[in-house]
Amino acid sequence: MGKLRLGVLASGWGSNLQSIMDAAAAGKIKAEVAVVFSDNNDAFALERARKAGIPARHLNPRNFGSKDECEKALLKLLNEHGVQLVCLAGYMRMVGKVILDAFPNMVINIHPALLPAFPGLCGQQQAWDYGVKFSGCTVHFVDEGMDTGPIIIQAVVPVYDDDTADSLAARILEQEHKIYPEAIGLIAEGRLKLNGRKVFRL
Ligand code: GRF
């Protein structure tokens, strides 16, 4: 069985992208990053991809007449690189019907909170502001909703009295870098079964 070809979509720093590239390069997962895409030309994620010798592509959504038009161009790009699994890693846009229909149950995301708590932007800050004692991160399948798809893996992180929003975010990020490659590895080995909202490990 060949390696699962990943298309990673990232808008910013790209530390999750890095953890995926590192796991792939170390042979820890049967997957390879085929292309990295960003909607933001300044994203450091693109730089990380180039450094690793991986195609790094940018499209400016503002140059398209509609979201569908932009996604069609993105889909073409993903297909050109033989992408099988789309991984959102700090991608600041909602993925729409064009991409979701083209990759049924093959679009995943990492969210920095224990879903369904604190979906949307700044999950770490939301959890911190709320005053929870535990937070964490979630890898999930992507559907049309905002962080609403079936949950693949979660990691729990304690919140300490002397934490700040930043120290909590750093503790969560450390776990993100573990569970995202782990989830990709499970999909690459065909070891996940989806039954309604529930995801089982085979
Ligand atoms: C992460 O916290 C991720 O969970 C969220 O955006 C952040 C991206 O970080 N979706 P990075 O760009 O991977 O460093």
Side-chain angles (χ1 to χ4, degrees):
M1 201 171 71
K3 289 183 182 173
L4 185 71
R5 292 181 67 79
L6 312 177
V8 181
L9 277 48
S11 301
W13 180 237
S15 70
N16 277 290
L17 162 68
Q18 191 69 54
S19 74
I20 296 166
M21 292 191 303
D22 290 350
K28 289 184 186 158
I29 54 177
K30 284 190 187 156
E32 60 191 335
V33 181
V35 64
V36 173
F37 168 78
S38 185
D39 55 331
N40 167 18
N41 204 19
D42 297 328
F44 188 61
L46 292 173
E47 200 54 47
R48 292 181 191 264
R50 286 185 205 110
K51 208 169 161 205
I54 291 167
R57 296 290 141 79
H58 162 69
L59 292 173
N60 186 344
R62 276 178 290 180
N63 293 343
F64 295 86
S66 68
K67 186 184 176 84
D68 272 14
E69 289 305 312
C70 183
E71 286 211 337
K72 278 179 195 159
L74 172 57
L75 178 59
K76 184 165 174 278
L77 198 154
L78 296 173
N79 285 336
E80 276 165 9
H81 289 87
V83 168
Q84 298 165 294
L85 177 68
V86 177
C87 304
L88 312 184
Y91 188 60
M92 302 308 284
R93 286 172 191 276
M94 296 275 290
V95 168
K97 204 172 154 42
V98 173
I99 298 293
L100 292 175
D101 285 354
F103 294 94
N105 295 326
M106 286 301 260
V107 183
I108 62 175
N109 180 42
I110 179 103
H111 182 74
L114 291 176
L115 293 172
F118 312 121
L121 290 177
C122 306
Q124 313 95 321
Q125 183 77 42
Q126 290 186 55
W128 169 254
D129 290 344
Y130 194 92
V132 297
K133 298 300 182 193
F134 291 91
S135 191
C137 46
T138 305
V139 181
H140 64 93
F141 288 107
V142 174
D143 61 15
E144 318 74 46
M146 168 78 85
D147 301 323
T148 50
I151 291 170
I152 302 171
I153 304 183
Q154 294 186 301
V156 179
V157 158
V159 182
Y160 299 122
D161 286 349
D162 60 353
D163 262 330
T164 61
D166 284 349
S167 63
L168 174 61
R171 194 174 306 119
I172 292 171
L173 191 60
E174 220 174 282
Q175 294 304 312
E176 293 183 38
H177 295 162
K178 290 185 187 154
I179 67 170
Y180 211 0
E182 188 185 340
I184 292 167
L186 290 170
I187 293 172
E189 291 185 25
R191 287 174 54 206
L192 289 186
K193 197 178 130 211
L194 188 58
N195 186 356
R197 280 208 58 85
K198 300 208 173 56
V199 179
F200 298 101
R201 289 194 196 195
L202 301 172

